[in-house]
Every structure is written in C-alpha cells, then in structure tokens.
Amino acid sequence: MSIRTALRQAADPSIAPGQQEYMKSAMPFLGVRVPAVRALVREATRDAIEAPELLDAALALWREAAFREERYAALVLVALKPLRGDATLLPVHEEMIRTGAWWDLVDEAAHRLREIFDVDPELMAVEMRVWADDDDLWVRRAAIISQIGRRDATDLDVLEYAILASVEDPEFFLRKAIGWALREYGKHDPDWVRTFVSEHPELSPLSRREALKNLG
C-alpha cells in the first residue's frame, strides 16, 4: 500500500477543518494527526528501502501534495536513517523550507539541518551564514534554529551571526525563533545567554523574554 493511499484510509474528515483552521493552511487536511502520520510512514517503510527510493518517494509526496499530511509524511521520510545527516540533501531541505513557508513544515525541516551540522560542521557553518542573509524569512528562521539541541557542539559564531542578521526585523516568526534558539542554548550555558542578551539591547522584547524565560 502506498503512503498516499494509507493516509486517505486513515483520514478522519471530521477533524480536518479544525486542523486547517489552526494551521491557517491554504492546503487542506485529510484529518490524520501527526503521530499517526509518523506511525503510518514507519509501517510503510518497515522493509529495508534504499536511500534513492526513499528520496524519490519523499519528493513525490512533497511536490504533488494535495493535502498537508502528505508533506508531513515527506518530512518523516527524509528523517529516516538512510537519508539522515546527508549533506548532499541540503538543497532538498531548502526546497521544503522555501515552498513549505510555514512554521510547522519549516521547523521540522530544520531538524535535518542540525543532523547535517553534526556530520559536516564546516560546511554548515558556511551555508547557514548564507541562509541567515537570505531574503526569505523562513530560510532565515531555519538558519537561526538550525542548531537547537546541539548543546556543547553548538557553533556559537554561527548562532550569533544568524541571530544578528535578523535582529532588527519586525517579523514575529524571526523574533520568536531568536528567543527560542537562545532559550534552548540557555539550558546548556545560561551564562552565555545572559551575557549575549545584556550585550545586545537591540533584541526585541519578544526575543529577550523568550531567551530568558527559564533563566530567572
């Protein structure tokens, strides 16, 4: 059974309108909750599948999506072990971020950037600086949050560059991302975050509040 067919069989049309309204999505929903999408994809890929086949399936689901859950499924596919951390897939993740252009899709795709960071930090240090200067706010958001969860492996120079590249932008999703990235790194090094915030009065109140939320 194809993933697309399985999604339609698992659909609950009664919840689809609420999902679409909550996500402010122009693309309709089938009515499949995200945990169910993940389980469905895992079931469909239980047998060993080679990386090229997984990638082809992910791109087909993404590019031909009629329902948002198909894009969620594509994101699950590119997170599977055969594709995880593959730097050659950076253009694929970028395509998903640019065309997804909303926080649910972009933030999930950004997890793949962190995995590539772990494998090839030198490449990503260059690429995320380029992304941080992009005209697309979602590409910039992805650069800001690309290292969340890396703790002591976090490239602080890249984090600082990505934050400061958007620090004066009034866009909510950028200001929120800045605060989120700082708050998460603060779980590992609260003193660095406190110092960074104190040294950058240009941070928006939202970013500042989010960054210090758990630091007292």
Side-chain angles (χ1 to χ4, degrees):
M1 182 189 301
S2 73
I3 291 173
R4 186 173 282 113
T5 299
L7 285 170
R8 282 157 175 75
Q9 291 187 358
D12 179 354
S14 70
I15 68 171
Q19 290 177 301
Q20 186 173 0
E21 182 179 3
Y22 172 75
M23 203 52 67
K24 299 179 173 63
S25 172
M27 184 179 288
F29 279 77
L30 282 163
V32 186
R33 300 188 192 279
V34 171
V37 173
R38 291 174 180 150
L40 184 153
V41 172
R42 287 195 296 268
E43 176 66 22
T45 57
R46 276 192 311 171
D47 298 329
I49 300 176
E50 297 296 322
E53 185 180 351
L54 283 175
L55 181 59
D56 287 346
L59 289 173
L61 279 167
W62 185 272
R63 292 170 178 170
E64 300 166 12
F67 297 93
R68 203 167 189 87
E69 290 93 338
E70 291 170 323
R71 289 196 157 178
Y72 292 159
L75 289 167
V76 176
L77 286 172
V78 296
L80 294 176
K81 189 174 181 179
L83 299 178
R84 195 184 309 148
D86 185 345
T88 66
L89 297 188
L90 190 57
V92 172
H93 303 312
E94 181 178 354
E95 174 185 341
M96 290 179 169
I97 288 165
R98 288 187 186 278
T99 58
W102 198 241
W103 64 267
D104 59 330
L105 303 174
V106 170
D107 293 0
E108 181 61 28
H111 294 320
R112 312 289 76 81
L113 305 179
R114 180 189 65 201
E115 293 159 359
I116 299 175
F117 244 118
D118 291 339
V119 173
D120 197 339
E122 292 185 4
L123 169 70
M124 292 299 284
V126 173
E127 291 292 337
M128 290 303 99
R129 283 180 170 86
V130 174
W131 283 34
D133 291 324
D134 200 273
D135 290 337
D136 188 314
L137 78 91
W138 298 107
V139 173
R140 282 187 280 153
R141 179 179 168 96
I144 292 165
I145 64 174
S146 65
Q147 297 188 81
I148 284 178
R150 297 191 74 223
R151 299 180 62 78
D152 60 347
T154 301
D155 187 326
L156 293 174
D157 289 337
V158 173
L159 177 60
E160 184 169 352
Y161 187 94
I163 288 171
L164 296 181
S166 292
V167 73
E168 295 182 356
D169 196 304
E171 170 58 54
F172 169 83
F173 287 104
L174 292 173
R175 293 185 167 188
K176 189 78 170 180
I178 289 170
W180 179 20
L182 289 171
R183 184 178 73 248
E184 288 299 309
Y185 186 66
K187 295 176 181 177
H188 172 69
D189 190 344
D191 289 340
W192 187 92
V193 171
R194 289 191 186 99
T195 299
F196 182 87
V197 170
S198 69
E199 290 179 349
H200 292 282
E202 69 273 30
L203 285 165
S204 71
L206 172 60
S207 297
R208 184 179 301 272
R209 183 169 62 251
E210 289 291 318
L212 301 176
K213 181 182 290 185
N214 300 322
L215 299 185

